[in-house]
């Protein structure tokens, strides 16, 4: 018997991809799936998969790891419920701010489980964020452009905000963003910790991000493109295998697993 995995948000596009990946991964067993919008169905593309249930309380009692890919409005409550049920949790949904992470950390510590949160599970995206942080040490004038499909409900993306945090932490010179004018509010995007973030939502896109750093007489562009949701699955599998052995109740960022 391998790692017993349940997927929360199994009816969504990412959740369905996770179900297919877990079902086909060595050393893992897909034993549960949750999505109130797909109650009674089976995960798409999974032969002999579990029936999708409407609530976390309906999952089997012996789930080892739950993978959470629901929505920003439900992720915190779901993670708290999974931790209370004694499951390790891998979180891919956006919506866990610092306050939520602090509450979850206390709960996970008390329950003896671990929670792993990744703004992005694509290996290349994690490298892009690391490269952006290194660039910001030398070229502190940085802006982020993130582009996603028109079904993505949050903006800016979690990846963009995580990138802005890494850039802000790495800067050795403070930067005041250049503002817009009063007649066109929002033209300059969202400012997160002094880093301007622009969000694009269009059909045909999957998940893409550019980090542009400007210097005297030069511009550096770092870009990552996820052309298919399968690009995220290697990171999900890595996290499922690693989460039970993490040192802290909550760990944020796939880079911690890549460096392990």
């Amino acid at each position: 018997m391998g790692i017993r995995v349940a997927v929360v948000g199994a009816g969504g596009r990412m959740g369905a991809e996770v179900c297919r990946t877990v079902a086909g991964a060595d050393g893992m067993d897909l034993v549960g799936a949750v999505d109130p919008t797909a109650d009674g169905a089976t995960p798409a593309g999974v032969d002999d998969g579990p029936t999708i249930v409407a609530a976390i309380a309906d999952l089997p009692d012996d789930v080892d790891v739950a993978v959470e890919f629901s929505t920003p409005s439900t992720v915190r409550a779901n993670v708290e419920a999974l931790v209370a049920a004694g499951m390790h949790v891998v979180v891919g949904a956006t919506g866990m701010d610092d306050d939520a992470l602090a509450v979850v950390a206390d709960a996970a510590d008390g329950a003896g489980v671990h929670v792993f949160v990744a703004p992005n599970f694509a290996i290349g995206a994690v490298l892009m964020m690391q490269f952006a942080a290194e660039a910001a040490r030398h070229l502190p004038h940085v802006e982020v452009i993130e582009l996603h499909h028109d079904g993505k409900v949050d903006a800016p993306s979690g990846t963009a905000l995580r990138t802005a945090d890494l850039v802000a932490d790495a800067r050795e010179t403070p930067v005041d963003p250049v503002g817009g004018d009063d007649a066109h509010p929002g033209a300059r995007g969202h400012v997160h910790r002094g880093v301007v973030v622009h969000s694009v939502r269009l059909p045909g896109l999957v998940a893409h991000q550019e980090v542009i750093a400007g210097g005297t007489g030069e511009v550096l562009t770092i870009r990552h493109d996820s052309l298919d949701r399968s690009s995220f699955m290697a990171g999900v599998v890595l996290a499922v295998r690693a989460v039970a052995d993490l040192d802290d109740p909550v760990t944020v960022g796939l880079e911690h697993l890549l460096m392990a």
Side-chain angles (χ1 to χ4, degrees):
M1 181 67 69
I3 302 171
R4 294 173 62 83
V5 181
V7 177
V8 180
R13 285 173 287 191
M14 278 296 296
E17 188 72 31
V18 173
C19 287
R20 290 189 289 270
T21 297
V22 168
D26 292 337
M28 294 185 192
D29 296 299
L30 181 66
V31 299
V34 179
D35 197 314
T37 69
D39 185 22
T42 55
V46 178
D47 295 332
D48 300 321
T51 299
I52 298 175
V53 297
I56 289 168
D58 298 325
L59 285 173
D61 294 333
D62 56 352
V63 173
D64 298 315
V65 179
V67 182
E68 216 290 347
F69 266 102
S70 63
T71 65
S73 63
T74 60
V75 57
R76 176 174 177 173
N78 286 343
V79 172
E80 290 178 351
L82 294 164
V83 166
M87 304 175 198
H88 302 293
V89 188
V90 172
V91 184
T94 302
M96 298 282 286
D97 60 17
D98 290 343
D99 290 340
L101 290 174
V103 171
V104 167
D106 286 342
D109 193 32
V113 298
H114 297 137
V115 176
F116 176 80
V117 182
N120 197 309
F121 282 96
I123 305 301
V126 175
L127 293 174
M128 174 265 296
M129 289 187 274
Q130 296 298 301
F131 297 157
E134 178 63 22
R137 294 178 55 239
H138 307 281
L139 298 170
H141 293 267
V142 176
E143 300 204 8
V144 177
I145 304 172
E146 57 97 347
L147 310 92
H148 284 81
H149 58 90
D150 57 338
K152 185 171 177 59
V153 297
D154 58 315
S157 69
T159 300
L161 295 175
R162 175 68 171 169
T163 304
D165 283 332
L166 293 172
V167 166
D169 290 340
R171 280 173 167 167
E172 297 180 356
T173 302
V175 174
D176 292 325
V178 178
D181 60 61
D182 293 339
H184 305 91
R188 288 288 295 122
H190 170 74
V191 180
H192 179 76
R193 294 186 61 192
V195 180
V196 178
V197 180
H198 309 268
S199 297
V200 178
R201 297 290 178 268
L202 289 172
L205 297 171
V206 179
H208 319 263
Q209 181 168 293
E210 289 186 359
V211 181
I212 305 174
T216 302
E218 62 177 338
V219 172
L220 171 65
T221 300
I222 305 166
R223 181 178 174 105
H224 176 262
D225 297 280
S226 281
L227 305 177
D228 186 86
R229 288 174 179 82
S230 59
S231 66
F232 306 112
M233 293 303 108
V236 171
V237 169
L238 176 63
V240 169
R241 288 180 172 149
V243 63
D245 297 321
L246 294 174
D247 294 330
D248 299 320
V250 171
T251 301
V252 179
L254 195 66
E255 63 271 16
H256 297 290
L257 304 187
L258 296 179
M259 294 185 298

